[in-house]
Amino acid sequence: YELKKEQNLFQACSDEAVDMSVISNITVAPFFDLYIKALFVKDGIALKTHYINSTEINENVSVLKPSKYIIVILNLKCLMPEYDLPIDNSPLHIKCINECAEIYYTLKRLTHSSIIWFGFESIDNISDKITGFVDREKYTVEFINNGIREKFDDEDVFINIDRLIASVGAYNAYSLKYKYRWNMPYSKKMMQAIANETYKQYNILSGKTKKCLVLDCDGVLWGGILSEDGIEGIHISSEGRGRIFQDFQRFILGLYYRGVILAICSKNEKSDIDQVLNTHSGMILHSENFACIEANWNSKSYNICNIAEMLNIDINSIVFLDDSIFEIRQVQNELMDITAILFSPADIVDKLSSYFNLKAEVNIENVKKRNDTFKFDAERNKLKYLYQNTDEYIKSLEMKIDIRPATL
């Protein structure tokens, strides 16, 4: 019923349009179409989908060419029914890799689309029920997936479907009824998981992500209250009460290395915050990881506005995280465009993952340079308020001009 309501909303949705084609050798349309359109319509996006059999790609060029995204969902048992048999099937594995590579190269030749390819699963293996979960010989599903992945360009995406199945549960991922009735081996839950992952990758490829995470300190980066408990009394460690905060900091550091700008907004003395960041042995995050630190007794909405101005970013690109419902509501009331989240250790990673859609690749050096640039910009913006005119401000920057002949 809820999916039908979303489908009705889709008919009236026209803010933005996305064209997507789905290539498959099984039936995926009935549930995938409803789930994926329900996700897009919530963002005001009209999604137009086309479903093409993997053997009929060349006959559907006119449909494929307008597609900005192509989703490939192939079932290994349909391509290679013998892969479960205890025979020398290495030639079949090579043949399967070559067939998939041909599909990929054909799509690259015919379109300029971004390709999201779901790899073959190894979890639903009949032999496992007989032999147990032992390591297999060289020629396995992983061998096939690696062979296909090696053909991929960097801008395309190869999804590990085993992880999706694990998130749903192997016994919940399949449906014999759908398999033999419609040639759809996956359950509704699994199709929803595939749709969610497709939407996640769409957001990553299209760059739809928040830019900055603004963090409170007490009860978020560490346990306890710094001004009351002192630096030795707060909880941040690899065990006991402080472990959950250290694990959370590692997660935040992962966001930092993937390009998220970090900032602090805390009702504390800045000197105390600096001392914790730079001297506490349990800290994973340190001063150099934060582009801006606003630690004072002003309202948090006021400080967040200062952070946005100093970093030269929009309020709507910021996610603010605090453990106080009072602070969350105050910020939401004052700053309508901000995303403010109440910190709760049990589901905070899931909450943040809804707003940050980041590529898996990491370039640490580029991230550090980018963070330094934001820091320098923030310092320059602070200096503006210390001088009464532009000439004094420019002199304070102590800029030097180096003039030399142009070189190749």
Side-chain angles (χ1 to χ4, degrees):
Y1 173 72
E2 291 298 326
L3 288 172
K4 283 294 183 183
K5 286 199 328 187
E6 297 288 1
Q7 193 176 40
N8 292 335
L9 285 172
F10 166 74
Q11 305 300 330
C13 180
S14 59
D15 294 351
E16 185 180 343
V18 171
D19 207 296
M20 177 184 291
S21 288
V22 181
I23 309 292
S24 188
N25 61 350
I26 57 175
T27 302
V28 297
F31 296 127
F32 180 82
D33 204 61
L34 288 172
Y35 286 125
I36 195 67
K37 285 180 177 176
L39 291 167
F40 273 82
V41 77
K42 288 178 181 177
D43 282 346
I45 302 171
L47 178 66
K48 187 177 182 181
T49 51
H50 314 276
Y51 294 88
I52 301 170
N53 190 288
S54 59
T55 62
E56 300 173 354
I57 293 174
N58 287 302
E59 291 81 8
N60 288 274
V61 176
S62 60
V63 174
L64 285 169
K65 279 193 173 181
S67 297
K68 191 171 182 181
Y69 302 93
I70 295 177
I71 317 303
V72 180
I73 307 171
L74 299 177
N75 184 265
L76 183 59
K77 288 184 178 180
C78 290
L79 282 179
M80 197 176 80
E82 302 91 345
Y83 93 97
D84 266 332
L85 297 176
I87 59 175
D88 180 15
N89 53 21
S90 55
L92 293 174
H93 285 66
I94 301 299
K95 180 183 178 184
C96 183
I97 292 172
N98 291 336
E99 287 180 3
C100 291
E102 181 60 29
I103 291 173
Y104 178 72
Y105 292 142
T106 300
L107 293 174
K108 297 297 287 184
R109 176 171 51 84
L110 295 177
T111 75
H112 298 287
S113 312
S114 296
I115 297 176
I116 302 172
W117 187 297
F118 286 82
F120 296 124
E121 72 262 35
S122 61
I123 290 178
D124 181 37
N125 194 302
I126 294 174
S127 296
D128 290 338
K129 296 176 172 38
I130 302 168
T131 64
F133 297 96
V134 297
D135 284 338
R136 298 180 181 275
E137 64 280 359
K138 176 182 176 182
Y139 294 102
T140 62
V141 178
E142 184 180 0
F143 172 82
I144 297 174
N145 283 333
N146 288 337
I148 300 169
R149 192 185 295 110
E150 288 174 358
K151 315 292 184 184
F152 267 54
D153 293 339
D154 291 340
E155 67 268 19
D156 295 321
V157 181
F158 192 92
I159 303 297
N160 185 330
I161 201 169
D162 278 349
R163 294 184 183 178
L164 280 182
I165 295 172
S167 70
V168 173
Y171 291 103
N172 297 320
Y174 299 96
S175 170
L176 287 177
K177 180 176 72 173
Y178 298 156
K179 176 182 178 180
Y180 293 115
R181 181 178 294 177
W182 301 320
N183 190 31
M184 185 171 70
Y186 298 127
S187 66
K188 290 182 183 179
K189 286 185 178 180
M190 186 60 191
M191 292 311 304
Q192 186 175 24
I194 291 174
N196 289 340
E197 182 62 25
T198 300
Y199 187 64
K200 182 74 173 180
Q201 295 304 325
Y202 156 77
N203 283 325
I204 293 172
L205 290 170
S206 57
K208 293 190 174 183
T209 185
K210 299 291 185 180
K211 295 180 181 178
C212 178
L213 178 60
V214 178
L215 297 147
D216 182 29
C217 290
D218 295 333
V220 175
L221 289 183
W222 54 72
I225 301 174
L226 180 58
S227 61
E228 297 178 6
D229 302 323
I231 189 171
E232 299 300 329
I234 61 173
H235 305 291
I236 175 72
S237 62
S238 59
E239 57 186 19
R241 295 171 62 186
R243 181 176 178 180
I244 194 168
F245 296 100
Q246 197 175 78
D247 287 347
F248 179 61
Q249 285 197 24
R250 284 195 181 90
F251 171 73
I252 297 301
L253 187 62
L255 296 182
Y256 166 81
Y257 282 136
R258 288 176 173 84
V260 174
I261 309 164
L262 302 183
I264 283 176
C265 177
S266 175
K267 288 185 176 178
N268 273 296
E269 296 295 335
K270 188 175 184 301
S271 58
D272 293 340
I273 297 291
D274 289 337
Q275 186 180 8
V276 175
L277 291 174
N278 298 320
T279 67
H280 199 291
S281 61
M283 291 294 292
I284 303 298
L285 297 170
H286 303 288
S287 292
E288 61 266 24
N289 301 125
F290 294 95
C292 186
I293 298 176
E294 286 289 289
N296 51 52
W297 304 99
N298 296 328
S299 72
K300 293 196 174 180
S301 57
Y302 177 84
N303 282 336
I304 291 170
C305 286
N306 283 343
I307 290 171
E309 184 175 357
M310 285 188 286
L311 298 179
N312 193 29
I313 59 177
D314 294 329
I315 291 291
N316 63 9
S317 67
I318 293 175
V319 174
F320 170 60
L321 193 59
D322 201 295
D323 68 321
S324 166
I325 188 64
F326 170 81
E327 299 289 2
I328 291 293
R329 288 176 176 170
Q330 188 271 328
V331 168
Q332 287 175 328
N333 288 333
E334 296 291 330
L335 307 173
M336 300 294 291
D337 292 333
I338 200 169
T339 299
I341 299 175
L342 182 66
F343 178 79
S344 56
D347 60 358
I348 188 58
V349 172
D350 288 336
K351 287 180 179 178
L352 290 177
S353 67
S354 300
Y355 300 101
F356 292 102
N357 303 295
L358 310 170
K359 293 185 177 180
E361 297 78 16
V362 174
N363 189 321
I364 295 177
E365 288 303 315
N366 284 347
V367 168
K368 288 181 177 178
K369 289 178 183 178
R370 182 188 181 199
N371 206 49
D372 287 342
T373 299
F374 279 113
K375 281 186 175 181
F376 294 147
D377 288 343
E379 289 301 318
R380 280 193 289 267
N381 286 329
K382 281 185 179 179
L383 286 173
K384 288 181 182 179
Y385 300 104
L386 299 178
Y387 301 95
Q388 296 182 359
N389 57 62
T390 304
D391 290 341
E392 289 184 10
Y393 167 62
I394 292 176
K395 287 180 181 178
S396 72
L397 296 177
E398 298 181 356
M399 292 186 293
K400 291 182 171 55
I401 299 176
D402 185 7
I403 301 175
R404 64 180 69 184
T407 58
L408 295 177

mmCIF file of all heavy atoms in Angstrom, residues 33-68:
data_model
loop_
_atom_site.group_PDB
_atom_site.id
_atom_site.type_symbol
_atom_site.label_atom_id
_atom_site.label_comp_id
_atom_site.label_asym_id
_atom_site.label_seq_id
_atom_site.Cartn_x
_atom_site.Cartn_y
_atom_site.Cartn_z
ATOM 1 N N ASP A 33 11.223 -1.736 -9.333
ATOM 2 C CA ASP A 33 10.669 -0.496 -9.884
ATOM 3 C C ASP A 33 9.943 0.317 -8.814
ATOM 4 O O ASP A 33 10.102 1.536 -8.731
ATOM 5 C CB ASP A 33 9.715 -0.826 -11.033
ATOM 6 C CG ASP A 33 9.563 0.336 -11.996
ATOM 7 O OD1 ASP A 33 10.573 0.740 -12.588
ATOM 8 O OD2 ASP A 33 8.440 0.846 -12.137
ATOM 9 N N LEU A 34 9.154 -0.363 -8.006
ATOM 10 C CA LEU A 34 8.412 0.344 -6.961
ATOM 11 C C LEU A 34 9.354 0.913 -5.902
ATOM 12 O O LEU A 34 9.212 2.069 -5.489
ATOM 13 C CB LEU A 34 7.400 -0.603 -6.311
ATOM 14 C CG LEU A 34 6.192 -0.979 -7.173
ATOM 15 C CD1 LEU A 34 5.374 -2.062 -6.478
ATOM 16 C CD2 LEU A 34 5.319 0.232 -7.457
ATOM 17 N N TYR A 35 10.320 0.116 -5.463
ATOM 18 C CA TYR A 35 11.223 0.565 -4.403
ATOM 19 C C TYR A 35 12.132 1.703 -4.877
ATOM 20 O O TYR A 35 12.330 2.683 -4.159
ATOM 21 C CB TYR A 35 12.079 -0.605 -3.903
ATOM 22 C CG TYR A 35 11.331 -1.588 -3.035
ATOM 23 C CD1 TYR A 35 11.301 -2.938 -3.346
ATOM 24 C CD2 TYR A 35 10.657 -1.166 -1.885
ATOM 25 C CE1 TYR A 35 10.611 -3.846 -2.548
ATOM 26 C CE2 TYR A 35 9.963 -2.060 -1.088
ATOM 27 C CZ TYR A 35 9.943 -3.393 -1.424
ATOM 28 O OH TYR A 35 9.264 -4.290 -0.632
ATOM 29 N N ILE A 36 12.679 1.588 -6.078
ATOM 30 C CA ILE A 36 13.613 2.614 -6.542
ATOM 31 C C ILE A 36 12.887 3.934 -6.812
ATOM 32 O O ILE A 36 13.388 5.015 -6.508
ATOM 33 C CB ILE A 36 14.396 2.139 -7.795
ATOM 34 C CG1 ILE A 36 15.602 3.040 -8.050
ATOM 35 C CG2 ILE A 36 13.513 2.059 -9.025
ATOM 36 C CD1 ILE A 36 16.676 2.949 -7.010
ATOM 37 N N LYS A 37 11.663 3.855 -7.359
ATOM 38 C CA LYS A 37 10.921 5.094 -7.621
ATOM 39 C C LYS A 37 10.457 5.741 -6.319
ATOM 40 O O LYS A 37 10.383 6.973 -6.222
ATOM 41 C CB LYS A 37 9.742 4.812 -8.550
ATOM 42 C CG LYS A 37 10.166 4.590 -9.989
ATOM 43 C CD LYS A 37 8.998 4.316 -10.916
ATOM 44 C CE LYS A 37 9.475 4.169 -12.357
ATOM 45 N NZ LYS A 37 8.370 3.817 -13.282
ATOM 46 N N ALA A 38 10.154 4.932 -5.314
ATOM 47 C CA ALA A 38 9.780 5.488 -4.013
ATOM 48 C C ALA A 38 10.930 6.281 -3.421
ATOM 49 O O ALA A 38 10.723 7.328 -2.785
ATOM 50 C CB ALA A 38 9.368 4.359 -3.063
ATOM 51 N N LEU A 39 12.173 5.835 -3.623
ATOM 52 C CA LEU A 39 13.341 6.551 -3.113
ATOM 53 C C LEU A 39 13.567 7.860 -3.866
ATOM 54 O O LEU A 39 13.848 8.897 -3.262
ATOM 55 C CB LEU A 39 14.585 5.662 -3.232
ATOM 56 C CG LEU A 39 14.622 4.439 -2.308
ATOM 57 C CD1 LEU A 39 15.721 3.480 -2.736
ATOM 58 C CD2 LEU A 39 14.816 4.863 -0.858
ATOM 59 N N PHE A 40 13.417 7.817 -5.180
ATOM 60 C CA PHE A 40 13.665 9.012 -5.976
ATOM 61 C C PHE A 40 12.583 10.073 -5.756
ATOM 62 O O PHE A 40 12.878 11.267 -5.711
ATOM 63 C CB PHE A 40 13.744 8.647 -7.466
ATOM 64 C CG PHE A 40 15.109 8.241 -7.908
ATOM 65 C CD1 PHE A 40 15.569 6.948 -7.693
ATOM 66 C CD2 PHE A 40 15.953 9.135 -8.537
ATOM 67 C CE1 PHE A 40 16.829 6.557 -8.098
ATOM 68 C CE2 PHE A 40 17.222 8.764 -8.946
ATOM 69 C CZ PHE A 40 17.666 7.458 -8.726
ATOM 70 N N VAL A 41 11.333 9.634 -5.621
ATOM 71 C CA VAL A 41 10.244 10.602 -5.513
ATOM 72 C C VAL A 41 10.328 11.407 -4.224
ATOM 73 O O VAL A 41 9.877 12.555 -4.162
ATOM 74 C CB VAL A 41 8.878 9.891 -5.630
ATOM 75 C CG1 VAL A 41 8.496 9.180 -4.345
ATOM 76 C CG2 VAL A 41 7.790 10.884 -6.025
ATOM 77 N N LYS A 42 10.928 10.832 -3.181
ATOM 78 C CA LYS A 42 11.088 11.569 -1.923
ATOM 79 C C LYS A 42 11.991 12.783 -2.089
ATOM 80 O O LYS A 42 11.903 13.741 -1.331
ATOM 81 C CB LYS A 42 11.643 10.641 -0.838
ATOM 82 C CG LYS A 42 10.618 9.631 -0.342
ATOM 83 C CD LYS A 42 11.209 8.703 0.699
ATOM 84 C CE LYS A 42 10.174 7.684 1.165
ATOM 85 N NZ LYS A 42 10.747 6.708 2.129
ATOM 86 N N ASP A 43 12.875 12.743 -3.078
ATOM 87 C CA ASP A 43 13.745 13.882 -3.378
ATOM 88 C C ASP A 43 13.208 14.731 -4.522
ATOM 89 O O ASP A 43 13.926 15.570 -5.072
ATOM 90 C CB ASP A 43 15.152 13.391 -3.728
ATOM 91 C CG ASP A 43 15.939 13.003 -2.489
ATOM 92 O OD1 ASP A 43 15.504 13.357 -1.382
ATOM 93 O OD2 ASP A 43 16.989 12.344 -2.620
ATOM 94 N N GLY A 44 11.936 14.485 -4.890
ATOM 95 C CA GLY A 44 11.329 15.285 -5.958
ATOM 96 C C GLY A 44 11.874 14.964 -7.330
ATOM 97 O O GLY A 44 11.908 15.828 -8.212
ATOM 98 N N ILE A 45 12.321 13.725 -7.533
ATOM 99 C CA ILE A 45 12.922 13.339 -8.814
ATOM 100 C C ILE A 45 12.017 12.344 -9.533
ATOM 101 O O ILE A 45 11.618 11.328 -8.957
ATOM 102 C CB ILE A 45 14.311 12.701 -8.597
ATOM 103 C CG1 ILE A 45 15.238 13.679 -7.861
ATOM 104 C CG2 ILE A 45 14.930 12.285 -9.931
ATOM 105 C CD1 ILE A 45 16.540 13.057 -7.426
ATOM 106 N N ALA A 46 11.691 12.631 -10.769
ATOM 107 C CA ALA A 46 10.908 11.706 -11.590
ATOM 108 C C ALA A 46 11.863 10.727 -12.253
ATOM 109 O O ALA A 46 12.728 11.127 -13.045
ATOM 110 C CB ALA A 46 10.115 12.477 -12.639
ATOM 111 N N LEU A 47 11.744 9.464 -11.917
ATOM 112 C CA LEU A 47 12.633 8.433 -12.455
ATOM 113 C C LEU A 47 11.932 7.670 -13.569
ATOM 114 O O LEU A 47 10.835 7.129 -13.381
ATOM 115 C CB LEU A 47 13.056 7.466 -11.351
ATOM 116 C CG LEU A 47 13.949 6.299 -11.781
ATOM 117 C CD1 LEU A 47 15.309 6.821 -12.245
ATOM 118 C CD2 LEU A 47 14.114 5.302 -10.639
ATOM 119 N N LYS A 48 12.562 7.618 -14.737
ATOM 120 C CA LYS A 48 12.043 6.849 -15.864
ATOM 121 C C LYS A 48 12.910 5.610 -16.020
ATOM 122 O O LYS A 48 14.121 5.710 -16.253
ATOM 123 C CB LYS A 48 12.063 7.687 -17.143
ATOM 124 C CG LYS A 48 11.387 7.008 -18.318
ATOM 125 C CD LYS A 48 11.376 7.930 -19.535
ATOM 126 C CE LYS A 48 10.662 7.271 -20.709
ATOM 127 N NZ LYS A 48 10.665 8.152 -21.911
ATOM 128 N N THR A 49 12.321 4.430 -15.897
ATOM 129 C CA THR A 49 13.085 3.182 -15.934
ATOM 130 C C THR A 49 12.756 2.356 -17.177
ATOM 131 O O THR A 49 11.619 2.350 -17.654
ATOM 132 C CB THR A 49 12.787 2.327 -14.684
ATOM 133 O OG1 THR A 49 11.365 2.198 -14.524
ATOM 134 C CG2 THR A 49 13.369 2.950 -13.437
ATOM 135 N N HIS A 50 13.790 1.653 -17.676
ATOM 136 C CA HIS A 50 13.632 0.747 -18.805
ATOM 137 C C HIS A 50 14.257 -0.584 -18.411
ATOM 138 O O HIS A 50 15.361 -0.618 -17.856
ATOM 139 C CB HIS A 50 14.327 1.286 -20.059
ATOM 140 C CG HIS A 50 14.060 2.738 -20.316
ATOM 141 N ND1 HIS A 50 12.937 3.177 -20.968
ATOM 142 C CD2 HIS A 50 14.775 3.848 -19.999
ATOM 143 C CE1 HIS A 50 12.970 4.494 -21.059
ATOM 144 N NE2 HIS A 50 14.074 4.925 -20.468
ATOM 145 N N TYR A 51 13.597 -1.687 -18.709
ATOM 146 C CA TYR A 51 14.089 -3.013 -18.352
ATOM 147 C C TYR A 51 14.404 -3.792 -19.625
ATOM 148 O O TYR A 51 13.538 -3.967 -20.492
ATOM 149 C CB TYR A 51 13.073 -3.748 -17.483
ATOM 150 C CG TYR A 51 12.913 -3.065 -16.138
ATOM 151 C CD1 TYR A 51 11.995 -2.026 -15.966
ATOM 152 C CD2 TYR A 51 13.724 -3.424 -15.072
ATOM 153 C CE1 TYR A 51 11.876 -1.377 -14.753
ATOM 154 C CE2 TYR A 51 13.612 -2.781 -13.845
ATOM 155 C CZ TYR A 51 12.692 -1.759 -13.695
ATOM 156 O OH TYR A 51 12.581 -1.111 -12.492
ATOM 157 N N ILE A 52 15.673 -4.232 -19.729
ATOM 158 C CA ILE A 52 16.160 -4.847 -20.960
ATOM 159 C C ILE A 52 16.803 -6.194 -20.633
ATOM 160 O O ILE A 52 17.633 -6.293 -19.705
ATOM 161 C CB ILE A 52 17.195 -3.933 -21.648
ATOM 162 C CG1 ILE A 52 16.557 -2.575 -21.970
ATOM 163 C CG2 ILE A 52 17.770 -4.586 -22.892
ATOM 164 C CD1 ILE A 52 17.544 -1.529 -22.426
ATOM 165 N N ASN A 53 16.443 -7.215 -21.394
ATOM 166 C CA ASN A 53 17.074 -8.515 -21.240
ATOM 167 C C ASN A 53 18.539 -8.423 -21.684
ATOM 168 O O ASN A 53 18.853 -7.758 -22.676
ATOM 169 C CB ASN A 53 16.337 -9.560 -22.075
ATOM 170 C CG ASN A 53 16.797 -10.970 -21.756
ATOM 171 O OD1 ASN A 53 17.906 -11.378 -22.102
ATOM 172 N ND2 ASN A 53 15.934 -11.728 -21.089
ATOM 173 N N SER A 54 19.423 -9.101 -20.957
ATOM 174 C CA SER A 54 20.860 -8.999 -21.240
ATOM 175 C C SER A 54 21.239 -9.528 -22.613
ATOM 176 O O SER A 54 22.329 -9.224 -23.117
ATOM 177 C CB SER A 54 21.663 -9.737 -20.162
ATOM 178 O OG SER A 54 21.283 -11.097 -20.105
ATOM 179 N N THR A 55 20.371 -10.321 -23.221
ATOM 180 C CA THR A 55 20.641 -10.838 -24.570
ATOM 181 C C THR A 55 20.109 -9.920 -25.672
ATOM 182 O O THR A 55 20.283 -10.217 -26.860
ATOM 183 C CB THR A 55 20.012 -12.240 -24.750
ATOM 184 O OG1 THR A 55 18.589 -12.129 -24.595
ATOM 185 C CG2 THR A 55 20.569 -13.215 -23.735
ATOM 186 N N GLU A 56 19.463 -8.810 -25.291
ATOM 187 C CA GLU A 56 18.822 -7.933 -26.273
ATOM 188 C C GLU A 56 19.324 -6.491 -26.180
ATOM 189 O O GLU A 56 18.598 -5.545 -26.456
ATOM 190 C CB GLU A 56 17.297 -7.971 -26.075
ATOM 191 C CG GLU A 56 16.701 -9.359 -26.247
ATOM 192 C CD GLU A 56 15.230 -9.417 -25.884
ATOM 193 O OE1 GLU A 56 14.709 -8.395 -25.382
ATOM 194 O OE2 GLU A 56 14.593 -10.470 -26.108
ATOM 195 N N ILE A 57 20.574 -6.344 -25.804
ATOM 196 C CA ILE A 57 21.131 -4.996 -25.632
ATOM 197 C C ILE A 57 21.204 -4.259 -26.963
ATOM 198 O O ILE A 57 20.798 -3.093 -27.077
ATOM 199 C CB ILE A 57 22.516 -5.079 -24.973
ATOM 200 C CG1 ILE A 57 22.382 -5.596 -23.531
ATOM 201 C CG2 ILE A 57 23.206 -3.719 -24.978
ATOM 202 C CD1 ILE A 57 23.687 -5.847 -22.825
ATOM 203 N N ASN A 58 21.728 -4.899 -27.987
ATOM 204 C CA ASN A 58 21.905 -4.234 -29.282
ATOM 205 C C ASN A 58 20.574 -3.830 -29.908
ATOM 206 O O ASN A 58 20.519 -2.898 -30.717
ATOM 207 C CB ASN A 58 22.672 -5.147 -30.235
ATOM 208 C CG ASN A 58 24.146 -5.255 -29.859
ATOM 209 O OD1 ASN A 58 24.849 -4.254 -29.787
ATOM 210 N ND2 ASN A 58 24.602 -6.479 -29.592
ATOM 211 N N GLU A 59 19.496 -4.545 -29.559
ATOM 212 C CA GLU A 59 18.178 -4.211 -30.107
ATOM 213 C C GLU A 59 17.520 -3.044 -29.373
ATOM 214 O O GLU A 59 16.442 -2.591 -29.782
ATOM 215 C CB GLU A 59 17.248 -5.428 -30.027
ATOM 216 C CG GLU A 59 17.628 -6.567 -30.962
ATOM 217 C CD GLU A 59 18.752 -7.440 -30.408
ATOM 218 O OE1 GLU A 59 19.134 -7.256 -29.234
ATOM 219 O OE2 GLU A 59 19.243 -8.295 -31.141
ATOM 220 N N ASN A 60 18.142 -2.565 -28.310
ATOM 221 C CA ASN A 60 17.533 -1.500 -27.496
ATOM 222 C C ASN A 60 18.433 -0.274 -27.363
ATOM 223 O O ASN A 60 18.415 0.418 -26.343
ATOM 224 C CB ASN A 60 17.203 -2.049 -26.109
ATOM 225 C CG ASN A 60 16.036 -3.003 -26.110
ATOM 226 O OD1 ASN A 60 14.874 -2.595 -26.028
ATOM 227 N ND2 ASN A 60 16.336 -4.298 -26.213
ATOM 228 N N VAL A 61 19.204 -0.007 -28.382
ATOM 229 C CA VAL A 61 20.129 1.130 -28.345
ATOM 230 C C VAL A 61 19.382 2.441 -28.151
ATOM 231 O O VAL A 61 19.820 3.333 -27.402
ATOM 232 C CB VAL A 61 20.971 1.182 -29.639
ATOM 233 C CG1 VAL A 61 21.865 2.419 -29.640
ATOM 234 C CG2 VAL A 61 21.810 -0.076 -29.777
ATOM 235 N N SER A 62 18.236 2.594 -28.796
ATOM 236 C CA SER A 62 17.472 3.846 -28.695
ATOM 237 C C SER A 62 16.981 4.100 -27.274
ATOM 238 O O SER A 62 16.784 5.244 -26.868
ATOM 239 C CB SER A 62 16.281 3.823 -29.653
ATOM 240 O OG SER A 62 15.411 2.742 -29.342
ATOM 241 N N VAL A 63 16.787 3.036 -26.508
ATOM 242 C CA VAL A 63 16.378 3.165 -25.108
ATOM 243 C C VAL A 63 17.580 3.421 -24.208
ATOM 244 O O VAL A 63 17.523 4.213 -23.255
ATOM 245 C CB VAL A 63 15.633 1.887 -24.650
ATOM 246 C CG1 VAL A 63 15.332 1.942 -23.159
ATOM 247 C CG2 VAL A 63 14.348 1.725 -25.441
ATOM 248 N N LEU A 64 18.692 2.766 -24.509
ATOM 249 C CA LEU A 64 19.880 2.863 -23.673
ATOM 250 C C LEU A 64 20.563 4.224 -23.756
ATOM 251 O O LEU A 64 21.029 4.759 -22.748
ATOM 252 C CB LEU A 64 20.890 1.778 -24.064
ATOM 253 C CG LEU A 64 20.582 0.352 -23.608
ATOM 254 C CD1 LEU A 64 21.501 -0.633 -24.295
ATOM 255 C CD2 LEU A 64 20.725 0.251 -22.098
ATOM 256 N N LYS A 65 20.626 4.797 -24.941
ATOM 257 C CA LYS A 65 21.398 6.025 -25.141
ATOM 258 C C LYS A 65 20.961 7.188 -24.250
ATOM 259 O O LYS A 65 21.796 7.912 -23.713
ATOM 260 C CB LYS A 65 21.388 6.435 -26.613
ATOM 261 C CG LYS A 65 22.402 5.653 -27.442
ATOM 262 C CD LYS A 65 22.612 6.282 -28.802
ATOM 263 C CE LYS A 65 23.767 5.576 -29.525
ATOM 264 N NZ LYS A 65 24.030 6.180 -30.850
ATOM 265 N N PRO A 66 19.645 7.413 -24.053
ATOM 266 C CA PRO A 66 19.259 8.532 -23.177
ATOM 267 C C PRO A 66 19.497 8.249 -21.683
ATOM 268 O O PRO A 66 19.402 9.166 -20.863
ATOM 269 C CB PRO A 66 17.751 8.691 -23.449
ATOM 270 C CG PRO A 66 17.474 7.891 -24.671
ATOM 271 C CD PRO A 66 18.479 6.807 -24.697
ATOM 272 N N SER A 67 19.788 7.001 -21.335
ATOM 273 C CA SER A 67 19.909 6.633 -19.921
ATOM 274 C C SER A 67 21.190 7.215 -19.330
ATOM 275 O O SER A 67 22.291 6.973 -19.837
ATOM 276 C CB SER A 67 19.916 5.112 -19.758
ATOM 277 O OG SER A 67 18.694 4.568 -20.209
ATOM 278 N N LYS A 68 21.031 7.933 -18.239
ATOM 279 C CA LYS A 68 22.198 8.482 -17.557
ATOM 280 C C LYS A 68 22.878 7.408 -16.711
ATOM 281 O O LYS A 68 24.089 7.458 -16.476
ATOM 282 C CB LYS A 68 21.776 9.658 -16.677
ATOM 283 C CG LYS A 68 22.951 10.459 -16.124
ATOM 284 C CD LYS A 68 22.490 11.719 -15.445
ATOM 285 C CE LYS A 68 23.697 12.520 -14.960
ATOM 286 N NZ LYS A 68 23.296 13.773 -14.268
#
